[in-house]
Short mmCIF file of all heavy atoms in Angstrom, two decimals:
data_model
loop_
_atom_site.label_atom_id
_atom_site.label_comp_id
_atom_site.label_asym_id
_atom_site.label_seq_id
_atom_site.Cartn_x
_atom_site.Cartn_y
_atom_site.Cartn_z
N LYS A 1 112.47 -96.76 195.67
CA LYS A 1 113.31 -97.34 196.85
C LYS A 1 114.44 -98.21 196.16
O LYS A 1 114.19 -99.01 195.30
CB LYS A 1 112.45 -98.10 197.71
CG LYS A 1 111.65 -97.25 198.79
CD LYS A 1 111.19 -97.98 199.96
CE LYS A 1 110.66 -97.06 200.94
NZ LYS A 1 110.20 -97.74 202.22
N MET A 2 115.60 -98.01 196.52
CA MET A 2 116.71 -98.79 196.20
C MET A 2 117.52 -99.12 197.46
O MET A 2 117.99 -98.23 198.17
CB MET A 2 117.60 -98.03 195.25
CG MET A 2 118.86 -98.72 194.73
SD MET A 2 119.76 -97.98 193.33
CE MET A 2 120.47 -96.54 194.30
N HIS A 3 117.67 -100.37 197.69
CA HIS A 3 118.34 -100.86 198.92
C HIS A 3 117.73 -100.24 200.15
O HIS A 3 118.51 -99.89 201.12
CB HIS A 3 119.88 -100.57 198.85
CG HIS A 3 120.61 -101.36 197.76
ND1 HIS A 3 120.97 -102.66 197.99
CD2 HIS A 3 121.03 -101.04 196.52
CE1 HIS A 3 121.54 -103.09 196.93
NE2 HIS A 3 121.59 -102.17 195.97
N GLY A 4 116.37 -100.03 200.17
CA GLY A 4 115.72 -99.60 201.29
C GLY A 4 115.73 -97.98 201.36
O GLY A 4 115.16 -97.39 202.31
N MET A 5 116.46 -97.34 200.53
CA MET A 5 116.51 -95.80 200.60
C MET A 5 115.66 -95.22 199.50
O MET A 5 115.57 -95.76 198.42
CB MET A 5 118.01 -95.41 200.29
CG MET A 5 118.98 -95.97 201.41
SD MET A 5 120.65 -95.45 201.09
CE MET A 5 121.00 -96.48 199.59
N GLU A 6 115.09 -94.08 199.78
CA GLU A 6 114.26 -93.33 198.90
C GLU A 6 115.18 -92.55 197.95
O GLU A 6 116.04 -91.76 198.49
CB GLU A 6 113.28 -92.49 199.57
CG GLU A 6 112.06 -92.02 198.79
CD GLU A 6 111.05 -93.12 198.55
OE1 GLU A 6 111.02 -94.07 199.39
OE2 GLU A 6 110.37 -93.08 197.54
N VAL A 7 115.13 -92.78 196.65
CA VAL A 7 115.98 -92.16 195.72
C VAL A 7 115.14 -91.37 194.70
O VAL A 7 114.31 -91.85 194.06
CB VAL A 7 116.84 -93.21 194.92
CG1 VAL A 7 117.78 -92.51 193.98
CG2 VAL A 7 117.64 -94.06 195.92
N PRO A 8 115.43 -89.97 194.57
CA PRO A 8 114.75 -89.26 193.55
C PRO A 8 115.21 -89.63 192.07
O PRO A 8 116.33 -89.90 191.90
CB PRO A 8 115.14 -87.88 193.81
CG PRO A 8 116.46 -87.92 194.52
CD PRO A 8 116.43 -89.20 195.32
N MET A 9 114.25 -89.67 191.22
CA MET A 9 114.59 -90.06 189.76
C MET A 9 115.32 -88.81 189.15
O MET A 9 114.86 -87.66 189.28
CB MET A 9 113.35 -90.41 188.96
CG MET A 9 112.74 -91.76 189.36
SD MET A 9 111.43 -92.40 188.30
CE MET A 9 112.38 -92.76 186.76
N SER A 10 116.33 -89.20 188.33
CA SER A 10 117.06 -88.11 187.63
C SER A 10 116.62 -88.27 186.22
O SER A 10 115.99 -89.13 185.68
CB SER A 10 118.57 -88.53 187.71
OG SER A 10 118.82 -89.69 186.97
N PRO A 11 117.03 -87.20 185.39
CA PRO A 11 116.75 -87.22 183.97
C PRO A 11 117.23 -88.42 183.26
O PRO A 11 116.58 -88.99 182.31
CB PRO A 11 117.47 -85.95 183.41
CG PRO A 11 117.45 -85.09 184.62
CD PRO A 11 117.65 -85.88 185.79
N ASP A 12 118.46 -88.99 183.66
CA ASP A 12 118.91 -90.19 183.05
C ASP A 12 118.01 -91.46 183.24
O ASP A 12 117.78 -92.18 182.39
CB ASP A 12 120.31 -90.64 183.74
CG ASP A 12 121.39 -89.61 183.47
OD1 ASP A 12 121.23 -88.76 182.51
OD2 ASP A 12 122.43 -89.66 184.13
N GLU A 13 117.41 -91.48 184.42
CA GLU A 13 116.51 -92.67 184.68
C GLU A 13 115.12 -92.47 183.88
O GLU A 13 114.47 -93.36 183.52
CB GLU A 13 116.27 -92.81 186.23
CG GLU A 13 117.50 -93.25 186.94
CD GLU A 13 117.39 -93.05 188.39
OE1 GLU A 13 117.18 -91.90 188.89
OE2 GLU A 13 117.61 -94.02 189.13
N HIS A 14 114.70 -91.24 183.84
CA HIS A 14 113.45 -90.95 183.07
C HIS A 14 113.66 -91.34 181.62
O HIS A 14 112.75 -91.90 180.93
CB HIS A 14 113.12 -89.49 183.16
CG HIS A 14 112.49 -89.08 184.52
ND1 HIS A 14 111.49 -89.70 185.12
CD2 HIS A 14 112.81 -88.05 185.34
CE1 HIS A 14 111.21 -89.15 186.27
NE2 HIS A 14 112.04 -88.09 186.38
N PHE A 15 114.86 -90.95 181.12
CA PHE A 15 115.16 -91.35 179.69
C PHE A 15 115.18 -92.81 179.54
O PHE A 15 114.75 -93.39 178.53
CB PHE A 15 116.45 -90.70 179.28
CG PHE A 15 116.77 -90.85 177.81
CD1 PHE A 15 115.96 -90.20 176.86
CD2 PHE A 15 117.84 -91.61 177.50
CE1 PHE A 15 116.32 -90.38 175.42
CE2 PHE A 15 118.22 -91.81 176.06
CZ PHE A 15 117.41 -91.17 175.11
N GLN A 16 115.86 -93.51 180.51
CA GLN A 16 115.85 -94.89 180.42
C GLN A 16 114.43 -95.57 180.36
O GLN A 16 114.24 -96.65 179.64
CB GLN A 16 116.63 -95.51 181.73
CG GLN A 16 116.98 -96.98 181.60
CD GLN A 16 117.93 -97.40 180.49
OE1 GLN A 16 118.69 -96.52 180.08
NE2 GLN A 16 117.94 -98.56 180.10
N ASP A 17 113.49 -94.94 181.08
CA ASP A 17 112.07 -95.48 181.08
C ASP A 17 111.43 -95.37 179.63
O ASP A 17 110.64 -96.18 179.24
CB ASP A 17 111.24 -94.71 182.07
CG ASP A 17 111.36 -95.37 183.52
OD1 ASP A 17 111.93 -96.49 183.62
OD2 ASP A 17 110.91 -94.80 184.40
N ILE A 18 111.82 -94.23 178.92
CA ILE A 18 111.40 -94.13 177.54
C ILE A 18 111.81 -95.31 176.74
O ILE A 18 111.06 -95.90 175.96
CB ILE A 18 111.85 -92.79 176.91
CG1 ILE A 18 111.27 -91.67 177.63
CG2 ILE A 18 111.62 -92.81 175.44
CD1 ILE A 18 111.81 -90.28 177.14
N LYS A 19 113.11 -95.69 176.85
CA LYS A 19 113.63 -96.84 176.15
C LYS A 19 112.93 -98.14 176.52
O LYS A 19 112.85 -99.08 175.74
CB LYS A 19 115.15 -96.82 176.27
CG LYS A 19 115.83 -95.71 175.66
CD LYS A 19 117.40 -95.82 175.68
CE LYS A 19 117.90 -95.59 177.12
NZ LYS A 19 119.45 -95.62 177.17
N ARG A 20 112.61 -98.23 177.87
CA ARG A 20 111.90 -99.46 178.26
C ARG A 20 110.55 -99.59 177.61
O ARG A 20 110.17 -100.69 177.27
CB ARG A 20 111.84 -99.40 179.77
CG ARG A 20 113.05 -99.58 180.63
CD ARG A 20 112.83 -99.73 182.08
NE ARG A 20 114.05 -100.02 182.80
CZ ARG A 20 114.75 -99.13 183.54
NH1 ARG A 20 114.18 -97.96 183.68
NH2 ARG A 20 115.81 -99.52 184.10
N VAL A 21 109.88 -98.50 177.47
CA VAL A 21 108.56 -98.56 176.80
C VAL A 21 108.77 -98.98 175.31
O VAL A 21 108.01 -99.80 174.85
CB VAL A 21 107.87 -97.17 176.89
CG1 VAL A 21 106.60 -97.24 175.95
CG2 VAL A 21 107.48 -96.84 178.20
N ILE A 22 109.75 -98.41 174.66
CA ILE A 22 110.10 -98.81 173.22
C ILE A 22 110.37 -100.29 173.17
O ILE A 22 109.89 -100.98 172.35
CB ILE A 22 111.24 -98.07 172.71
CG1 ILE A 22 110.85 -96.46 172.65
CG2 ILE A 22 111.68 -98.48 171.29
CD1 ILE A 22 112.11 -95.57 172.35
N SER A 23 111.13 -100.78 174.14
CA SER A 23 111.47 -102.20 174.18
C SER A 23 110.17 -103.09 174.37
O SER A 23 110.09 -104.13 173.82
CB SER A 23 112.56 -102.48 175.27
OG SER A 23 112.73 -103.89 175.51
N ALA A 24 109.32 -102.56 175.29
CA ALA A 24 108.11 -103.41 175.63
C ALA A 24 107.20 -103.51 174.48
O ALA A 24 106.35 -104.41 174.39
CB ALA A 24 107.38 -102.72 176.80
N THR A 25 107.24 -102.61 173.38
CA THR A 25 106.38 -102.72 172.25
C THR A 25 106.78 -103.86 171.47
O THR A 25 106.03 -104.38 170.50
CB THR A 25 106.50 -101.52 171.44
OG1 THR A 25 107.76 -101.40 170.85
CG2 THR A 25 106.07 -100.23 172.27
N SER A 26 107.96 -104.41 171.59
CA SER A 26 108.58 -105.57 170.81
C SER A 26 108.51 -105.33 169.27
O SER A 26 108.39 -106.34 168.53
CB SER A 26 107.80 -106.85 171.22
OG SER A 26 107.93 -107.07 172.51
N GLY A 27 108.50 -104.06 168.84
CA GLY A 27 108.55 -103.80 167.45
C GLY A 27 107.13 -103.88 166.82
O GLY A 27 107.03 -103.79 165.52
N HIS A 28 106.07 -103.99 167.66
CA HIS A 28 104.76 -104.24 166.97
C HIS A 28 104.04 -102.94 166.65
O HIS A 28 103.14 -102.98 165.83
CB HIS A 28 103.87 -105.05 168.00
CG HIS A 28 104.34 -106.47 168.11
ND1 HIS A 28 104.65 -107.27 167.13
CD2 HIS A 28 104.58 -107.16 169.27
CE1 HIS A 28 105.00 -108.49 167.55
NE2 HIS A 28 105.01 -108.44 168.91
N ALA A 29 104.43 -101.80 167.26
CA ALA A 29 103.76 -100.60 166.89
C ALA A 29 103.98 -100.13 165.51
O ALA A 29 105.11 -100.38 164.98
CB ALA A 29 104.22 -99.49 167.88
N CYS A 30 103.01 -99.48 164.83
CA CYS A 30 103.16 -99.05 163.54
C CYS A 30 104.22 -97.94 163.39
O CYS A 30 105.15 -97.98 162.64
CB CYS A 30 101.83 -98.59 163.00
SG CYS A 30 102.04 -97.79 161.36
N ARG A 31 104.11 -96.99 164.40
CA ARG A 31 105.03 -95.91 164.51
C ARG A 31 105.28 -95.61 166.01
O ARG A 31 104.29 -95.78 166.81
CB ARG A 31 104.57 -94.57 163.88
CG ARG A 31 104.58 -94.58 162.41
CD ARG A 31 104.41 -93.09 161.87
NE ARG A 31 103.35 -92.42 162.42
CZ ARG A 31 103.09 -91.06 162.21
NH1 ARG A 31 103.90 -90.50 161.31
NH2 ARG A 31 102.16 -90.52 162.74
#
């Protein structure tokens, strides 16, 4: 939901989530 509207996720947003996970590791993962 964005501004009360249901919005389907695009490939761009899925790719952004990958980067969010990488960011959330804070550099602590071995690989």
